[in-house]
Amino acid sequence: MNTQERDALVYTFRRYMADKLGIALFKHQAEWILASDGYQLTGKPAHPQATTRFVNIRRADTTVERMGITERPGGKAKVLADLAAYKSGKSWSGAFYLAGFAAVPGARVDIIGLQYQICTPEFDYLAEFLLSDRGLGLPYTRYHNQPKSGRMLIEIKSTGARFECRSWEQKEMLKGQERDAYYFCESYMLPGLSAFKSVAQNLRKRRGSAIFTTTADRPWVTVFHERGHGQDPGFADWHCTCGVHARENPYTFSQQEYDRDHPQKGGLMTRDQFAVAWEGKLGEYVGRVYNYQRGQRQFTRETHPEWWAHPTQDAA
């Protein structure tokens, strides 16, 4: 199976799953998932007779609207980011995206977190989508959900598709393996874009994807905003969804907690912390001091060329 056939199968299976389970995505969820399929929202209601060029969008008032879709100018995005507020549905939509690979014979998908426990929300949602009676109830050959012992694995019986959680603390085990997708949980915890660069070669043969879902709690994640909005033709296959307010998920939003943290109401958070956690905004990070652990962040000519007078030359 070539990559075009794989991508078409993933898209078709995901639409089948949405229809069967009655799933409607929030706008920010649909936006980045559609970008991976080579589409984008039109921002307008779909034609009443449309059978394929639409997606069901769930609004903040829980009503559902059929919204039209059209081709994305840059084609299928392969590096995708959802920079959204706390509890805005990032993990759920990530699992929904990954579930599409269950239909691909021999698919290999890694879910990466700083530690195994960080992968738990996505992995639990994925198991619910694929294996549970509430979901598709697919037969499986292996299913392990033991984050404390580092065994988190789903293998689908009919296709052999495998989903496995990995810990970045054991990153040496990630090298030299072909993958259809890498999904990075709470990406801000990772040491920077070097986490992606160190495994990117594993995606090349299968033309795989890398997905980053996170609150914008660290400065390095702004790289997705800078490259993922279509302004640089060199990064046409990058996509960024950002500025997602916590209110967009009415099922988890709490006005009481929102007011408790609001700095203008005497809340617990600073203005910048509140903007990131509740409003899904990118922080200013000016004058900030961060805790640092050895090896947590790496500054090289590739990651920060602006800090080198001669980025292509080694230091004397």
Side-chain angles (χ1 to χ4, degrees):
M1 177 179 293
N2 61 41
T3 57
Q4 290 183 338
E5 292 171 334
R6 178 204 60 193
D7 293 345
L9 186 56
V10 169
Y11 174 74
T12 301
F13 186 74
R14 199 183 295 127
R15 288 191 70 94
Y16 160 78
M17 185 170 63
D19 292 340
K20 184 175 179 61
L21 303 182
I23 291 173
L25 301 171
F26 296 129
K27 183 175 179 290
H28 76 96
Q29 296 170 335
E31 187 176 287
W32 74 262
I33 292 175
L34 284 170
S36 74
D37 296 319
Y39 296 103
Q40 64 183 14
L41 295 169
T42 63
K44 301 177 181 179
H47 190 279
Q49 304 301 320
T51 58
T52 58
R53 290 299 183 95
F54 75 93
V55 64
N56 290 324
I57 298 295
R58 190 173 299 279
R59 295 186 173 278
D61 61 3
T62 74
T63 60
V64 176
E65 176 188 9
R66 282 165 50 107
M67 188 173 290
I69 63 176
T70 188
E71 286 83 2
R72 179 178 180 269
K76 296 173 183 176
K78 293 298 181 180
V79 179
L80 303 112
D82 188 16
L83 310 181
Y86 178 63
K87 289 187 176 181
S88 57
K90 299 184 295 295
S91 298
W92 185 93
S93 60
F96 176 73
Y97 167 84
L98 294 177
F101 288 93
V104 179
R108 294 293 181 266
V109 174
D110 279 358
I111 304 170
I112 300 174
L114 184 63
Q115 300 172 335
Y116 285 102
Q117 290 87 341
I118 303 300
C119 305
T120 296
E122 281 83 354
F123 189 78
D124 287 347
Y125 284 131
L126 183 63
E128 184 174 350
F129 280 134
L130 297 178
L131 310 182
S132 73
D133 293 337
R134 293 180 55 189
L136 299 179
L138 299 179
Y140 55 87
T141 53
R142 287 194 288 175
Y143 172 51
H144 303 289
N145 191 357
Q146 301 165 343
K148 289 185 179 180
S149 60
R151 296 186 72 201
M152 302 174 74
L153 170 69
I154 294 173
E155 187 171 304
I156 303 301
K157 184 177 182 179
S158 59
T159 62
R162 184 189 301 170
F163 306 85
E164 188 166 4
C165 294
R166 304 279 191 167
S167 168
W168 182 253
E169 292 180 341
Q170 301 175 19
K171 54 183 177 295
E172 293 78 12
M173 298 176 63
L174 301 173
K175 297 180 179 180
Q177 304 178 39
E178 291 182 12
R179 289 295 178 264
D180 292 281
Y182 282 115
Y183 180 94
F184 297 88
C185 307
E186 290 298 350
S187 313
Y188 79 88
M189 297 181 179
L190 299 173
L193 201 59
S194 60
F196 167 56
K197 291 181 178 180
S198 66
V199 296
Q201 70 275 7
N202 298 345
L203 297 171
R204 289 173 187 162
K205 186 172 182 179
R206 301 192 184 191
R207 285 287 295 154
S209 302
I211 303 93
F212 301 81
T213 60
T214 185
T215 50
D217 279 312
R218 290 294 183 271
W220 78 267
V221 301
T222 59
V223 68
F224 301 113
H225 178 72
E226 294 166 356
R227 298 178 177 179
H229 288 280
Q231 298 177 350
D232 187 339
F235 294 94
D237 61 348
W238 286 49
H239 170 86
C240 175
T241 293
C242 54
V244 183
H245 199 288
R247 280 199 179 96
E248 293 199 24
N249 186 347
Y251 303 108
T252 58
F253 179 76
S254 168
Q255 187 66 50
Q256 182 178 0
E257 294 180 7
Y258 181 84
D259 293 339
R260 178 202 63 194
D261 291 338
H262 204 302
Q264 294 183 355
K265 298 181 180 181
L268 301 174
M269 291 184 173
T270 66
R271 183 178 63 180
D272 205 42
Q273 289 173 333
F274 185 82
V276 171
W278 285 97
E279 298 176 342
K281 295 180 179 179
L282 301 176
E284 295 178 355
Y285 307 110
V286 177
R288 295 289 197 87
V289 177
Y290 296 96
N291 294 327
Y292 177 79
Q293 296 179 353
R294 184 180 179 89
Q296 184 178 9
R297 293 191 182 87
Q298 301 175 14
F299 304 101
T300 67
R301 292 190 302 275
E302 290 75 20
T303 60
H304 297 77
E306 67 276 12
W307 292 0
W308 267 258
H310 302 286
T312 59
Q313 298 179 11
D314 291 330

